[in-house]
Amino acid sequence: MSVRERKERERASRERLIVATARELAEQKGWDAVTTRQLAERIEYSQPVLYSHFRGKREIIGAVALEGAAEMAAALRAVTSAADGPRVRVTALARAYLDFAERNPAVYDAMFQLDGGLAFAREDTPEPLKDAFAALLENLGEVAGDGVHPALFTETFWAALHGLATLTRARRLPPEDTERRVELLVDRLVVV
Amino acid sequence: MSVRERKERERASRERLIVATARELAEQKGWDAVTTRQLAERIEYSQPVLYSHFRGKREIIGAVALEGAAEMAAALRAVTSAADGPRVRVTALARAYLDFAERNPAVYDAMFQLDGGLAFAREDTPEPLKDAFAALLENLGEVAGDGVHPALFTETFWAALHGLATLTRARRLPPEDTERRVELLVDRLVVV
DNA sequence: GATTCGATCCTAGCACCGCTAGACAATCAA
DNA sequence: TTGATTGTCTAGCGGTGCTAGGATCGAATC
């Protein structure tokens, strides 16, 4: 059975290569440049190989999104665990969120802008997505204020961050004042 | 010169037809279905005719975006002028904004998600876009609170609305609680 | 009224896209 | 060694945005 196992390992390894390469290509040249042909050439296999791992391009985007969600959750927890006081934590959280979006625009798009075929806010939502939301909830729930449901507050705060991230990157908002917008958001929304 | 003028009128009329048809098609079947072939067939001309009016698909999206911006500005002013008291006005504004986004998803995408080749937040920004932002600023500036720049406040509030609109439509947020999220946003952000 | 000539529009085609059928080669079991 | 199975590739389908070049048509001139 060891031969079979080796093959399975190799196959899993190639799948990771596909996802990593798609991500890399997307960050370098944008998702438009992530064509099945380009991707196949970069991994040095033919196009149909991609379809033996994923149903199509959509699923590849979804895989990148899941990878990104796990990273984002880790990044958020890293900064919030190092901050003490709810107010300081939330500020750090907001900055880390926007920082992640800015540093990984393609991954962020895969998560929240593109269609990766993933289900959000449901029971069958993939674990990494649930966990990323949980990372937000952990820090935002405690500053929701009396009578405001923690999840609802988290959703609203998240939406505001998402709006800042996307409008800024789409050049709809000038990037200079991002920090002041974050401060305003935290000042007004957070109840300490 | 009357012949020339008639031709110019017809040409302008055809241009409006292209934009209106693109918008209609986008709302019916999504922007992916707005291909130059589909569009050409619907207006009953050949593909190259499109390129005698617009540089390419991007510019057509841009034209739809401008049309949408003018409409949105009008819609926002319509509801805010009928509401008295800053607080009530802002609530009405927020609802009208999200309502516009929900009723005209393709137009909203053209304005804020897709690349229509338009410049935002600059001197050379097209007038309809400036005016749509102005419609927000008119109502939001007065509730920014002391020491907070009206434009900065408007940008932040807008970003929050944009986040709600896009995450909800992309099924990242459950649609049921939209109203409560808006209330929370207005409650916390607005200073009366 | 016939004829030129320029504007206008269409046919045909380019290089690319996502995706897949079917041929082929490599590997395994008997 | 043979036969079946698995894996991968080549080639191709119908689609995309966009454009070159020829046909057509109508206005202006003789």
Side-chain angles (χ1 to χ4, degrees):
Chain A
M1 281 300 128
S2 144
V3 169
R4 181 202 189 94
E5 284 170 10
R6 192 203 72 225
K7 291 209 166 188
E8 279 174 9
R9 271 203 314 277
E10 286 172 355
R11 199 180 148 74
S13 155
R14 193 173 62 180
E15 190 159 314
R16 283 194 302 274
L17 176 64
I18 292 173
V19 176
T21 306
R23 175 177 178 170
E24 191 178 288
L25 191 51
E27 293 292 3
Q28 282 174 3
K29 306 187 179 179
W31 277 106
D32 278 354
V34 184
T35 68
T36 52
R37 278 171 241 271
Q38 277 288 323
L39 189 48
E41 186 171 346
R42 284 222 183 183
I43 64 168
E44 295 181 316
Y45 281 93
S46 70
Q47 271 181 290
V49 165
L50 300 173
Y51 293 86
S52 74
H53 288 272
F54 302 95
R55 281 177 187 277
K57 193 181 169 179
R58 170 185 301 197
E59 270 196 9
I60 297 177
I61 293 173
V64 171
L66 291 184
E67 195 178 290
E71 274 179 41
M72 174 183 266
L76 296 183
R77 290 202 173 95
V79 302
T80 52
S81 69
D84 44 331
R87 167 67 192 262
V88 175
R89 255 199 301 279
V90 171
T91 305
L93 177 85
R95 289 198 184 119
Y97 184 96
L98 295 177
D99 191 58
F100 182 90
E102 192 185 334
R103 289 174 123 89
N104 309 277
V107 174
Y108 192 85
D109 279 349
M111 291 169 69
F112 300 129
Q113 304 265 133
L114 302 175
D115 180 10
L118 303 174
F120 282 75
R122 295 162 41 142
E123 288 107 33
D124 58 335
T125 294
E127 210 47 55
L129 296 177
K130 282 184 178 172
D131 189 54
F133 186 79
L136 291 172
L137 187 61
E138 287 158 17
N139 299 284
L140 290 168
E142 57 181 348
V143 296
D146 289 342
V148 174
H149 195 287
L152 187 87
F153 180 83
T154 301
E155 288 167 356
T156 308
F157 196 97
W158 171 38
L161 288 177
H162 177 70
L164 286 180
T166 53
L167 288 178
T168 303
R169 201 154 61 68
R171 304 176 156 277
R172 260 69 168 177
L173 284 180
E176 307 89 53
D177 298 324
T178 297
E179 180 56 28
R180 279 197 285 164
R181 293 188 201 106
V182 170
E183 282 168 17
L184 175 62
L185 214 54
V186 174
D187 268 344
R188 297 280 167 90
L189 287 182
V190 165
V191 174
V192 279
Chain B
M1 283 302 131
S2 145
V3 169
R4 182 202 188 95
E5 284 170 9
R6 193 201 73 226
K7 290 209 168 185
E8 279 175 8
R9 272 203 313 276
E10 287 173 356
R11 200 180 147 74
S13 155
R14 193 174 62 183
E15 189 159 315
R16 284 193 301 275
L17 175 64
I18 293 173
V19 176
T21 306
R23 175 177 176 168
E24 191 179 287
L25 190 51
E27 293 293 3
Q28 281 174 4
K29 306 187 181 178
W31 277 106
D32 278 353
V34 184
T35 68
T36 53
R37 278 172 240 275
Q38 277 289 321
L39 190 48
E41 187 171 345
R42 284 223 182 181
I43 63 168
E44 294 181 318
Y45 282 94
S46 69
Q47 270 181 291
V49 164
L50 300 174
Y51 293 87
S52 75
H53 288 271
F54 302 95
R55 281 176 187 277
K57 192 180 171 181
R58 170 186 302 198
E59 269 196 9
I60 297 177
I61 294 173
V64 172
L66 291 184
E67 195 178 291
E71 274 179 41
M72 173 182 266
L76 296 183
R77 290 202 173 97
V79 301
T80 52
S81 68
D84 43 331
R87 167 67 193 263
V88 175
R89 256 199 300 280
V90 170
T91 305
L93 177 85
R95 288 196 185 120
Y97 184 97
L98 295 177
D99 192 57
F100 183 90
E102 192 185 334
R103 288 174 124 90
N104 310 278
V107 173
Y108 192 85
D109 280 349
M111 292 169 68
F112 301 129
Q113 304 265 129
L114 301 175
D115 179 10
L118 302 174
F120 283 75
R122 297 165 39 146
E123 288 107 32
D124 58 335
T125 294
E127 210 47 53
L129 296 177
K130 281 184 179 172
D131 189 54
F133 186 79
L136 292 172
L137 187 61
E138 287 158 19
N139 299 285
L140 290 168
E142 57 182 348
V143 297
D146 289 342
V148 173
H149 196 288
L152 187 86
F153 180 83
T154 301
E155 290 168 357
T156 307
F157 197 98
W158 170 37
L161 288 177
H162 177 71
L164 286 180
T166 53
L167 288 178
T168 303
R169 200 155 60 67
R171 303 176 159 277
R172 261 67 168 177
L173 283 179
E176 308 88 52
D177 297 325
T178 297
E179 180 55 29
R180 279 198 284 165
R181 293 187 201 108
V182 171
E183 281 168 17
L184 175 62
L185 215 52
V186 174
D187 269 344
R188 297 278 167 92
L189 286 182
V190 165
V191 174
V192 278

